[in-house]
Each structure stands twice: as structure tokens, then as C-alpha cells.
Amino acid sequence: MIEPNLLELKKELHIELLKAAKEARSLGYNPTQFNRMLLEEGGYVVAKKLIVKTSSGFNNLWELNRLDLSTEAIILREKFRPLFTIEELELAKNRLHEFNYEIDNEKTNLPPLQPSGRIREFNSYSDILKANIIFEHIVNGLQHRELDEVILGLNSQNSKGFQSMGILHFLGIRADYKGLFEGKELQEVIGILSEQGKDYEEPVRLLSLLDNTALVNAINDDIEAEQVEEGRGIEGAVQYYYGKRYERDLNNRKLAIKKHGLDCYVCGFNFEDTYGDRGKDFIEVHHIQPLSTLEEAMEINPETDLVPLCANCHRMVHRKKDNVLSVEELKQIVKKSI
């Protein structure tokens, strides 16, 4: 299902954009087209569109010396950052910089990094593990021994936290960073570190590997679009039917896509290759065990229970309800037709 916090954030963003439009009107600028777009498409969709280009409204607000009312300034508020990708936030930030607008969250002063120069532990682990160590240390305040055990799977009585400590110290992240970003979302942390300059490029690169904002938003948008099309809400935990488009657990769908990618498992079709931005991050997800055969809810393993299929292959798998094909059977049919 759609993550409640993101859904609420979208609603709050819409309200803030409406407030900004109302304030602009009181200053003598009536953003008629902007208001119409908000009414027809909603604040989140409008914001995504306006990020990629400088609108006439932006220029009007600049002339009024009120860029704080611009869409760019609003989406850069810490609370709304989780709705947007790093690239989108950078576009908004750079546009405001061009017009000499100072962004509030750039004022954050951080303790200086103190790199150790010792690279052995840093080179011993994958980037994802290192990213999780950074996040859990600077956001959730886990100590070195806890990180060794929880993230690296080591016996902390033997490792004594030296592996995680070595990784953090190589990056210059010392004790004064422990829990420094407590309560902040990943996007907020990345945004703050990105503003600190070249010394923070490696921590930002690693933390960005944990950022699923674009994928989560794309999945949420797809699910919302289907709800509107079908005129109904999301079903319950167990689905007793064939061939539905979405795995309703957002996290399972996200993990399935991250594990298997966005190419159709049967024919290799990629929606973005054919449809460009319209098809970005889209693929249908297929339950290897048909949902209709389940008598009760079961725990889904995204790696073994779900595979990505294009719309055509997904329909062919489920076309005959008494003879649902396996993906391997469909692969053989496709191979014979080539």
C-alpha cells in the first residue's frame, strides 16, 4: 500500500503551494495558470513538472523579492525533501542560487571531518554495508560495537567495534557525529551533507545508495493512478484473483524491482527504453505462486516469490485461469516464436 507518511506529505505540500499562491495574489501577482494546475493535477505532480524548467511565475516572484513563495523554495524545506530525488532537489537549489536566494538549511554547521588515512577496514566491505554503517551511526546513534554486530554480522565481543570504527574514521566521522542527525530522514541528511562541499562527497555517494525516493514515488504514483482508473481503494492483505498489476506491499514491490531490475523476465522488454520518462521505473510484478491459490496471508520473499513482467507477458501468464503458466513455460513459448 502507499506509505502513509509520503501520502500525508503530498497533501501537506499541496496545501503549502495553495498558501503560497494565495500569498502571491495578495502581493499583486495572480498565478492563474498555477492555480489551475494545482486544481487539475495536485501539488506533488505540479511541483515535479516545474522543477525541470524556470516558469514565468518564478520570475514574477523574483521581481517581488519573494522567492520564498516559489515551488523550488517550498520543496527544499526539510519536511518535503523525502518526496523528491537528489537530482530534483539539486535543480531546485541551483535555480535559487542563480537568483541569489539563500536556502535556510545550507546554514548547518557540522563538526570538521578528521580522516584517519587507514583504508583497510573501509576496503573490506561493500558500499551498501558502509552506507548503512554511516546512516545508523549519525542518525540512529548506534555505537561501533553495535554496528559490527547489527550491520556487519560480527561477534562484537571479538571485533570490539574496530571494523565499523575503521570505516567511519577513514571517512573522518568521529564521535561528535554519533546521533548528530537524530530524527532526520535520509534525504534531509544527504541534502545537508551535500551542501558541505568536496570533503563530504564520499559519505554523500554512499548514503545515496540507500535512497529509494525515486523508485518509491514512482510505485506510489502507479498505484494511485490505478486507483483513480478503477474508482476504488486498495484491497486487503490477501488477493483472491489472477493477474493484478501490483504487489500491494510497497516494500516487497520495491525490493523485487531492486533485486530483479526493470526488464521483463520473459521477453526483456523495458518500458523506459520504449516510452522514455513515461515508462521510467515501471514494470508489473508477478507472483510466482498465483495469489488465487493462497488460502491465507503469507510472507513474501521478493527475491524468490516475485518477478518483473511486462504487461503483455503478465497477461499471457494469466490468460487462462485454469492453466496459469510458469514464467519458464512462457519463456519457451516466446523462444519458439522468434
Side-chain angles (χ1 to χ4, degrees):
M1 59 167 29
I2 301 168
E3 291 186 352
N5 59 329
L6 291 181
L7 190 57
E8 287 302 314
L9 269 184
K10 288 182 181 181
K11 292 178 181 178
E12 291 182 36
L13 175 65
H14 182 79
I15 292 171
E16 287 302 311
L17 292 173
L18 285 173
K19 288 180 180 178
K22 184 177 180 179
E23 177 70 12
R25 185 174 181 179
S26 71
L27 299 172
Y29 164 54
N30 186 10
T32 306
Q33 184 178 358
F34 181 71
N35 279 323
R36 185 170 63 251
M37 291 172 66
L38 288 178
L39 178 64
E40 294 175 352
E41 303 178 80
Y44 172 68
V45 174
V46 171
K48 298 275 281 188
K49 287 184 176 180
L50 294 181
I51 290 171
V52 299
K53 64 179 181 179
T54 303
S55 65
S56 58
F58 183 93
N59 291 324
N60 288 326
L61 291 172
W62 175 71
E63 291 174 358
L64 291 169
N65 197 29
R66 290 301 306 272
L67 284 180
D68 59 300
L69 299 176
S70 68
T71 301
E72 288 81 358
I74 291 173
I75 72 168
L76 283 168
R77 295 177 188 174
E78 287 192 2
K79 69 183 299 184
F80 294 130
R81 281 177 170 262
L83 289 174
F84 301 92
T85 65
I86 295 173
E87 292 75 15
E88 289 170 333
L89 295 171
E90 283 294 308
L91 284 173
K93 179 194 69 176
N94 291 336
R95 185 169 301 138
L96 290 169
H97 278 174
E98 289 175 8
F99 286 78
N100 298 315
Y101 180 81
E102 186 176 348
I103 303 167
D104 287 342
N105 55 25
E106 290 183 323
K107 300 175 183 176
T108 305
N109 293 318
L110 300 180
L113 293 177
Q114 304 174 57
S116 66
R118 176 187 170 95
I119 200 171
R120 186 173 71 183
E121 292 83 9
F122 186 82
N123 280 345
S124 298
Y125 297 95
S126 70
D127 282 355
I128 289 294
L129 287 176
K130 289 183 283 194
N132 277 293
I133 284 173
I134 297 170
F135 182 83
E136 294 298 334
H137 184 67
I138 69 177
V139 176
N140 294 325
L142 267 63
Q143 300 176 4
H144 298 143
R145 286 176 179 264
E146 292 175 308
L147 292 168
D148 270 14
E149 193 158 310
V150 174
I151 305 300
L152 300 181
L154 303 175
N155 184 329
S156 60
Q157 291 185 345
N158 296 330
S159 70
K160 303 184 186 303
F162 288 153
Q163 296 301 303
S164 296
M165 182 176 70
I167 291 169
L168 292 168
H169 284 190
F170 174 76
L171 294 168
I173 299 174
R174 302 285 177 159
D176 45 10
Y177 275 85
K178 178 177 173 291
L180 182 64
F181 297 96
E182 182 179 0
K184 293 189 180 297
E185 298 288 340
L186 174 64
Q187 278 289 104
E188 297 176 51
V189 176
I190 292 174
I192 293 170
L193 295 182
S194 297
E195 302 299 340
Q196 305 304 312
K198 188 175 179 63
D199 291 345
Y200 289 80
E201 286 182 353
E202 186 63 5
V204 167
R205 181 188 73 82
L206 290 169
L207 288 174
S208 296
L209 299 176
L210 304 178
D211 179 29
N212 294 315
T213 302
L215 179 58
V216 169
N217 282 334
I219 292 171
N220 277 337
D221 290 344
D222 289 339
I223 294 174
E224 287 183 82
E226 186 187 59
Q227 292 176 47
V228 172
E229 179 183 348
E230 296 186 1
R232 57 165 177 75
I234 295 176
E235 299 83 25
V238 186
Q239 326 307 316
Y240 297 100
Y241 52 81
Y242 287 87
K244 284 309 298 175
R245 177 174 299 173
Y246 300 107
E247 158 53 35
R248 294 303 183 180
D249 186 317
L250 171 62
N251 192 53
N252 280 343
R253 179 171 164 78
K254 177 180 68 178
L255 291 174
I257 291 175
K258 286 177 69 65
K259 176 63 182 177
H260 300 294
L262 291 160
D263 293 340
C264 176
Y265 188 81
V266 170
C267 70
F269 181 84
N270 182 287
F271 281 89
E272 185 177 5
D273 289 347
T274 299
Y275 299 107
D277 286 342
R278 182 79 175 180
K280 186 176 181 181
D281 290 332
F282 181 83
I283 192 73
E284 298 187 5
V285 173
H286 169 65
H287 290 254
I288 292 177
Q289 181 180 359
L291 288 166
S292 60
T293 66
L294 302 180
E295 296 182 356
E296 59 183 17
M298 62 175 285
E299 184 175 351
I300 298 296
N301 182 331
E303 181 175 353
T304 59
D305 299 332
L306 304 173
V307 293
L309 293 181
C310 71
N312 285 346
C313 289
H314 204 178
R315 186 70 187 92
M316 289 299 100
V317 164
H318 291 283
R319 188 178 183 197
K320 297 181 179 181
K321 66 180 182 179
D322 296 325
N323 183 24
V324 178
L325 298 177
S326 71
V327 290
E328 294 302 326
E329 288 173 324
L330 189 63
K331 269 188 177 181
Q332 293 304 314
I333 292 174
V334 172
K335 282 183 180 180
K336 291 178 181 178
S337 68
I338 297 176

